[in-house]
């Protein structure tokens, strides 16, 4: 396994947000993490990427335990997180945002330019806005920028936290199709989504988190057919949105 | 109209010194939202380091350009190191706590620096040697000394270098990113602690640069100069929109000009009243500074 998370316990003060999460991602896979608001999806990603420290449990990436490493060191190992809510640098230009995504290769300008060009190929909409301040982009473009920025470090594993948040169904379908493409090019993906139907459609496997624990896991196609999943996460979703 | 040009020239000279100190405030504020009250006193540390090099260590016997170069370089390195030591010892342990705790610590650091200078160099007024000849040239009715030209040019060069650094280099871009979002910066692979240290190095370099310039220009120096100087530069930073680098440069110039006009047309006794009146007005009417809304987050 490329990523193995075992029995992760994470606290905010005295509140236990993760109560023993265990999950894994293999190279080449897209793995979805589903769950309702406050279930602990973001907390899981932040702990894997080193922004949060677990009280106990291990995170093994590419064979090495990475618990206790700083977030910037984790990126260097090939694990990149697209944070919830995009968190792009709104006062910097699109180009500058991408350059920061390639901060680790900042001394290799040619390589940086090559990767930037390949991001612009993946997201042609961004190419026309290179010199524009990122804060002036539309929501969909900002999400593309957030993903493009994370791709600049050429991660082995890309973690996405609700990339379709706030986007139209059409746009989120497009975005998830691009995620599929990225995965086809050899990047493993850990995808947190509330849009369960679309997420399951592009994933190989999935986990369902409920109040800090894994409630269900299995093949994406099986979960999509599972009665409990249909009732809690698929039924009526499109109608509500 | 006659003296107006003279007041403007004098004001711009002093304003460029204020701008350098204001930049120290603004860079640190942009990154960790701390008003580093020690910046003014750090400037005085640099001022006294330059003074002791010129008066006690025989640097003056060297050719003038070499002497000046060393009288700037060594104090700048000294205050850069001092600033990083303050960061590591006093601010770093508090970075994740409340802003108020760091703010009070910064006031403490200011007092410590001031009293260290007093202990080492004494409470009395000291005088910079007049190493640069005071002659110059006239522009119409106004007199411009070569000293003014050299100091002004040096300040502008420093500001230009700083501007290019923040706008054109990866580390400079990372600094501007830190002004927006520390965690997002970490996810880019940016070593945030390291970038904060670099910001304090820059703040320290600017402190001594302006300190030595002020010493050479005003001649008389004293251990407690940092208090008023710091407040004036802080006013300049707020005027330009704290966190905004071009704003701090403009703010410094404006404060320098205001002081010079007040001294010229009213009385030098009113200088501080005018400057701090401006501070209060800006805080009340336009807390984001003169240069638009985005300044609060824009570097
Ligand atoms: N900084 C924090 N301090 C205290 N509690 C927090 C903090 N961040 C999250 N929590 C709590 O931890 C739990 C898990 O939050 P988390 O953000 O991981 O949920 P999530 O599954 O990502 O939800 P959403 O779908 O709304 O993004 C929630 O109960 C939340 O209130
Ligand atoms: Mg979340």
């Amino acid at each position: 396994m490329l990523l193995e998370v075992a029995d992760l316990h994470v606290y905010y003060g005295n509140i236990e947000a993760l109560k023993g999460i265990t999950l894994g991602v293999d190279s080449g896979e897209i793995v979805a993490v589903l769950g309702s608001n406050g279930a602990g999806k973001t907390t899981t990603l932040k702990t894997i990427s080193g922004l949060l420290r677990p009280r106990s449990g291990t995170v093994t990436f590419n064979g090495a335990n990475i618990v206790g490493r700083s977030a910037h060191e984790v990126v260097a190992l090939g694990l990149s997180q697209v944070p919830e809510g995009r968190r792009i640098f709104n006062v910097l230009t699109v180009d500058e945002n991408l350059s920061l995504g390639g901060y680790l290769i900042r001394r290799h300008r040619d390589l940086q330019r090559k990767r930037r060009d390949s991001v612009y190929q993946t997201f042609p909409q961004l190419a026309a806005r290179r010199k524009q301040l990122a804060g002036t982009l539309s929501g969909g473009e900002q999400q593309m920028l957030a993903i493009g920025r994370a791709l600049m470090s050429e991660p082995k594993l890309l973690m996405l936290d609700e990339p379709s948040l706030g986007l139209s169904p059409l746009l989120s379908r497009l975005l998830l199709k691009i995620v599929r493409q990225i995965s086809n090019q050899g990047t493993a993906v850990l995808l947190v989504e509330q849009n369960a139907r679309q997420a399951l459609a592009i994933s190989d496997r999935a986990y369902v988190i409920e109040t800090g624990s894994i409630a269900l896991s299995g093949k994406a196609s099986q979960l999509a057919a599972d009665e409990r999943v249909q009732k809690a996460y698929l039924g009526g979703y499109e109608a509500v949105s | 109209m006659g003296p107006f040009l003279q007041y403007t020239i004098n004001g711009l000279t002093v304003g460029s010194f204020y701008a350098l100190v204001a930049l120290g405030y603004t860079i640190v504020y942009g990154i960790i939202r701390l008003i580093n009250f020690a910046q003014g006193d750090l400037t005085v540390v640099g001022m006294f380091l330059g003074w002791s090099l010129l008066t006690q260590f025989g640097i003056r016997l060297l050719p003038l350009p070499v002497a000046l170069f060393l009288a700037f370089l060594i104090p700048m390195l000294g205050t850069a190191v001092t600033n990083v030591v303050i960061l590591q010892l006093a601010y770093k342990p508090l970075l994740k706590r409340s802003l108020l705790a760091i703010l009070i610590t910064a006031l403490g650091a200011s007092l410590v620096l001031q009293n260290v200078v007093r202990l080492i160099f004494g409470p009395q007024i000291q005088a910079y040697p007049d190493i640069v000849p005071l002659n110059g040239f006239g522009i119409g009715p106004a007199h411009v000394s070569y000293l003014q030209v050299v100091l002004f040019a040096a300040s502008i060069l420093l500001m230009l270098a700083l501007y290019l650094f923040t706008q054109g280099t990866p580390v400079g871009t990372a600094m501007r990113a830190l002004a927006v979002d520390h965690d997002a910066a970490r996810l880019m692979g940016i070593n945030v602690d390291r970038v904060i240290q670099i910001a304090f190095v820059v703040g320290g370099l600017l402190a001594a640069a302006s300190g030595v310039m002020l010493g050479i220009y005003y001649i008389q120096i004293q251990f407690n100069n940092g208090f008023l100087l710091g407040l004036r530069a802080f006013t300049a930073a707020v005027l330009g929109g704290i966190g905004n680098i071009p704003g701090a440069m403009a703010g410094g110039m404006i404060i320098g000009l205001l002081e010079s006009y007040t001294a010229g047309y009213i009385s030098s006794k009113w200088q501080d009243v005018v400057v701090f009146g401006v501070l209060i007005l800006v805080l009340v009417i336009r807390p984001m500074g003169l240069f638009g809304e985005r300044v609060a987050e824009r570097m």
Side-chain angles (χ1 to χ4, degrees):
Chain A
M1 283 255 166
L2 180 61
L3 173 77
E4 279 184 272
V5 174
D7 200 25
L8 215 52
H9 290 261
V10 178
Y11 288 74
Y12 292 108
N14 288 324
I15 301 163
E16 189 174 21
L18 298 190
K19 304 165 185 165
I21 294 278
T22 298
L23 57 78
V25 181
D26 232 331
S27 334
E29 272 192 316
I30 300 185
V31 174
V33 174
L34 312 175
S36 46
N37 289 113
K41 306 179 296 294
T42 298
T43 306
T44 304
L45 292 199
K46 280 185 169 174
T47 310
I48 296 172
S49 66
L51 288 177
L52 293 174
R53 294 271 155 95
R55 188 165 293 182
S56 65
T58 57
V59 178
T60 314
F61 183 67
N62 228 358
N65 186 3
I66 58 169
V67 166
R69 300 221 193 182
S70 323
H72 69 269
E73 296 171 331
V74 172
V75 182
L77 295 175
L79 208 168
S80 198
Q81 183 190 352
V82 179
E84 183 174 359
R86 301 161 190 131
R87 311 270 290 259
I88 52 157
F89 303 112
N90 51 6
V91 299
L92 304 186
T93 65
V94 170
D95 254 354
E96 286 175 329
N97 268 273
L98 291 183
S99 300
L100 283 180
Y103 190 76
L104 293 168
I105 50 162
R106 61 188 176 282
R107 293 199 183 83
H108 309 274
R109 298 227 162 174
D110 288 343
L111 185 59
Q112 233 190 24
R113 192 169 316 120
K114 221 177 80 192
R115 289 192 190 167
R116 219 163 36 212
D117 288 344
S118 102
V119 168
Y120 284 135
Q121 244 165 35
T122 311
F123 301 108
Q125 285 196 49
L126 293 180
R129 298 176 162 71
R130 308 176 73 121
K131 302 289 172 211
Q132 200 170 314
L133 289 187
T136 64
L137 297 177
S138 76
E141 289 160 354
Q142 291 192 5
Q143 188 62 60
M144 292 174 194
L145 180 57
I147 296 174
R149 195 176 64 169
L151 290 174
M152 286 292 291
S153 60
E154 286 207 338
K156 297 186 183 75
L157 173 65
L158 180 67
M159 301 196 291
L160 299 155
D161 197 344
E162 303 205 33
S164 72
L165 192 74
L167 304 186
S168 73
L170 194 71
L171 199 56
S172 55
R173 209 164 303 141
L174 172 78
L175 215 63
L176 290 177
K177 222 168 91 186
I178 293 175
V179 170
R180 180 82 253 179
Q181 275 172 26
I182 292 168
S183 136
N184 287 343
Q185 284 158 17
T187 310
V189 176
L190 184 60
L191 172 66
V192 163
E193 262 299 339
Q194 293 214 27
N195 191 339
R197 192 183 304 276
Q198 290 186 359
L200 288 174
I202 66 156
S203 300
D204 302 300
R205 291 187 302 114
Y207 297 86
V208 176
I209 299 188
E210 272 169 17
T211 55
S213 315
I214 302 284
L216 288 168
S217 66
K219 283 197 162 153
S221 52
Q222 282 170 357
L223 283 185
D226 190 289
E227 236 175 69
R228 289 162 293 179
V229 175
Q230 287 198 335
K231 217 165 131 198
Y233 302 105
L234 297 175
Y237 178 83
E238 304 279 8
V240 173
S241 71
Chain B
M1 195 57 206
F4 178 77
L5 188 59
Q6 187 70 58
Y7 298 152
T8 305
I9 291 167
N10 297 349
L12 286 178
T13 312
V14 182
S16 68
F17 309 151
Y18 290 158
L20 292 177
V21 186
L23 282 169
Y25 275 107
T26 251
I27 285 173
V28 167
Y29 181 86
I31 287 187
I32 57 174
R33 296 286 178 268
L34 163 71
I35 295 165
N36 185 12
F37 285 114
Q39 187 73 28
D41 301 284
L42 198 63
T43 305
V44 172
V45 171
M47 201 183 249
F48 272 89
L49 286 176
W51 170 80
S52 73
L53 280 171
L54 286 169
T55 54
Q56 336 245 298
F57 289 92
I59 279 194
R60 278 177 75 194
L61 303 176
L62 299 166
L64 183 62
V66 181
L68 275 179
F69 180 73
L70 290 178
F72 277 98
L73 183 71
I74 295 171
M76 283 168 80
L77 295 179
T79 47
V81 171
T82 308
N83 214 18
V84 173
V85 169
I86 294 174
L87 166 68
Q88 295 299 111
L89 290 183
Y91 302 155
K92 182 87 186 303
L94 297 172
L95 274 180
K96 294 196 171 91
R97 307 278 176 77
S98 83
L99 269 178
L100 192 62
I102 300 200
L103 208 63
I104 290 166
T105 310
L107 281 173
S110 156
L111 286 174
V112 169
L113 286 181
Q114 199 178 108
N115 284 291
V116 167
V117 171
R118 182 194 176 125
L119 273 177
I120 297 178
F121 300 102
Q124 68 278 29
I125 294 176
Q126 307 281 12
Y128 257 66
D130 40 0
I131 48 170
V132 185
L134 270 178
N135 52 355
F137 55 92
I139 302 182
H143 175 81
V144 185
S145 70
Y146 293 125
L147 179 64
Q148 283 180 315
V149 175
V150 170
L151 294 182
F152 186 74
S155 313
I156 298 294
L157 270 182
L158 272 177
M159 287 185 235
L160 192 68
L162 183 68
Y163 187 76
L164 293 178
F165 169 69
T166 53
Q167 300 298 316
T169 68
V171 175
T173 311
M175 279 188 183
R176 288 185 292 140
L178 281 196
V180 182
D181 193 331
H182 281 215
D183 272 352
R186 287 193 174 90
L187 293 177
M188 302 299 104
I190 293 168
N191 183 343
V192 168
D193 288 346
R194 176 62 42 78
V195 177
I196 293 175
Q197 283 166 2
I198 294 173
F200 273 74
V201 166
V202 172
L205 293 173
L206 291 169
S210 54
V212 176
M213 287 189 202
L214 281 159
I216 293 177
Y217 191 67
Y218 281 126
I219 306 287
Q220 295 199 336
I221 61 174
Q222 200 176 7
F223 75 98
N224 58 4
N225 286 157
F227 177 69
L228 266 185
L229 174 67
L231 273 181
R232 286 175 188 148
F234 174 66
T235 306
V238 170
L239 190 63
I242 190 149
N244 180 326
I245 286 177
M249 300 179 187
M253 297 297 179
I254 294 174
I255 294 297
L257 287 172
L258 269 179
E259 272 193 19
S260 180
Y261 294 143
T262 309
Y265 290 115
I266 308 171
S267 151
S268 60
K269 292 195 182 104
W270 283 84
Q271 278 184 353
D272 290 336
V273 178
V274 169
V275 168
F276 300 127
V278 165
L279 176 62
I280 292 168
L281 273 183
V282 172
L283 288 176
V284 170
I285 299 174
R286 206 171 162 80
M288 76 291 264
L290 287 182
F291 302 101
E293 281 106 297
R294 63 179 192 181
V295 292
E297 43 184 9
R298 176 86 178 165
M299 280 183 74

